[in-house]
Amino acid sequence: MSDKTTAEDTNEPRLITETGLDQRIADIIEPVLVQMGFRLVRVRMSGQNGLTLQIMTERNDGTMTVEDCEEVSKAISPVLDVEDPIDKAYHLEVSSPGIDRPMVRKSDFFRWQGHLMKCETSVMVDGRKRFRGKIVSVDEDGFRLERDQPAYGEEAVVAIPFTALSDARLILTDDLIRDALTADKKAKAARAANENFEDEDSPIE
């Protein structure tokens, strides 16, 4: 995993965003999430359980607890009630991105460099639109993917510009699980240490 992992910038734009109603909902809730110290990962309406609004989010350090999900749900529910973008009854579901997460920001690619992923592009890149392989390098313009099963005549490594991405997700592996759990543990420990420092620094009443 790359050392350039903690892009703790709430305002870092997403490379992959929603359209239609999902986009309208994202526009409504994202300012609330940013104010709370969270980053929006994805909004998706689905037909599960009648109609389900799925909100995927995380803290700036990449962590997300059950309590965080409840906090976010309580904060965005009244905002959605006021704006009322959905004209039908729906179930709100707030979750973390998960280990095999969608990759929606440049920092995601820097953070999970060295791991397997699959992605789709909106335009043809090196003769195709679907790719699967290991992220071998990342820069501001895109990333290089080492294909795990290159077809005959294809180069083993392909360069994919961020501007061409339409969908991207990590692939669950033992290495990814290990690194994700380690990163989560470190981030939570750092946050706890910071909170303890702030408590010690607060005035005694």
Side-chain angles (χ1 to χ4, degrees):
M1 191 166 61
S2 167
D3 289 336
K4 192 173 180 181
T5 58
T6 51
E8 297 193 3
D9 177 7
T10 314
N11 297 315
E12 182 191 354
R14 290 182 297 155
L15 302 165
I16 300 168
T17 56
E18 297 77 17
T19 58
L21 177 58
D22 290 349
Q23 182 182 21
R24 187 180 170 200
I25 294 168
D27 291 342
I28 292 169
I29 67 170
E30 192 159 22
V32 179
L33 295 175
V34 169
Q35 192 173 20
M36 296 171 67
F38 292 90
R39 302 202 299 179
L40 179 63
V41 176
R42 190 179 70 190
V43 172
R44 179 172 291 175
M45 292 293 301
S46 77
Q48 289 181 315
N49 304 324
L51 196 62
T52 298
L53 171 57
Q54 299 171 323
I55 308 294
M56 203 175 276
T57 185
E58 64 187 346
R59 287 187 177 273
N60 294 338
D61 60 10
T63 63
M64 193 71 183
T65 65
V66 173
E67 291 75 20
D68 290 336
C69 290
E70 292 173 353
E71 182 185 351
V72 168
S73 182
K74 288 177 181 176
I76 64 177
S77 288
V79 178
L80 288 169
D81 288 344
V82 170
E83 295 292 337
D84 198 24
I86 307 166
D87 60 3
K88 297 176 182 177
Y90 66 93
H91 171 68
L92 176 62
E93 181 182 283
V94 177
S95 70
S96 73
I99 294 177
D100 55 341
R101 57 171 301 137
M103 307 277 275
V104 298
R105 290 180 170 87
K106 290 181 182 180
S107 58
D108 294 335
F109 291 83
F110 280 109
R111 186 183 184 109
W112 301 110
Q113 188 172 323
H115 287 282
L116 277 175
M117 66 164 292
K118 56 185 177 181
C119 67
E120 294 185 21
T121 56
S122 56
V123 295
M124 297 291 277
V125 176
D126 199 23
R128 61 165 64 200
K129 288 187 175 183
R130 291 187 177 184
F131 301 88
R132 174 189 163 111
K134 183 171 70 175
I135 307 167
V136 290
S137 65
V138 188
D139 60 31
E140 285 303 307
D141 297 320
F143 59 98
R144 288 166 61 82
L145 202 69
E146 183 180 9
R147 308 183 219 229
D148 58 356
Q149 292 180 327
Y152 179 77
E154 286 185 332
E155 293 290 334
V157 177
V158 59
I160 302 176
F162 286 130
T163 52
L165 271 185
S166 62
D167 192 30
R169 177 180 284 276
L170 287 173
I171 295 172
L172 202 60
T173 63
D174 290 342
D175 287 345
L176 177 60
I177 293 170
R178 183 196 65 230
D179 284 357
L181 293 176
T182 299
D184 188 67
K185 188 175 181 180
K186 285 182 179 178
K188 286 177 178 174
R191 194 162 82 230
N194 187 54
E195 287 171 356
N196 290 336
F197 177 78
E198 289 176 353
D199 289 343
E200 291 172 3
D201 212 32
S202 59
I204 299 173
E205 296 181 358

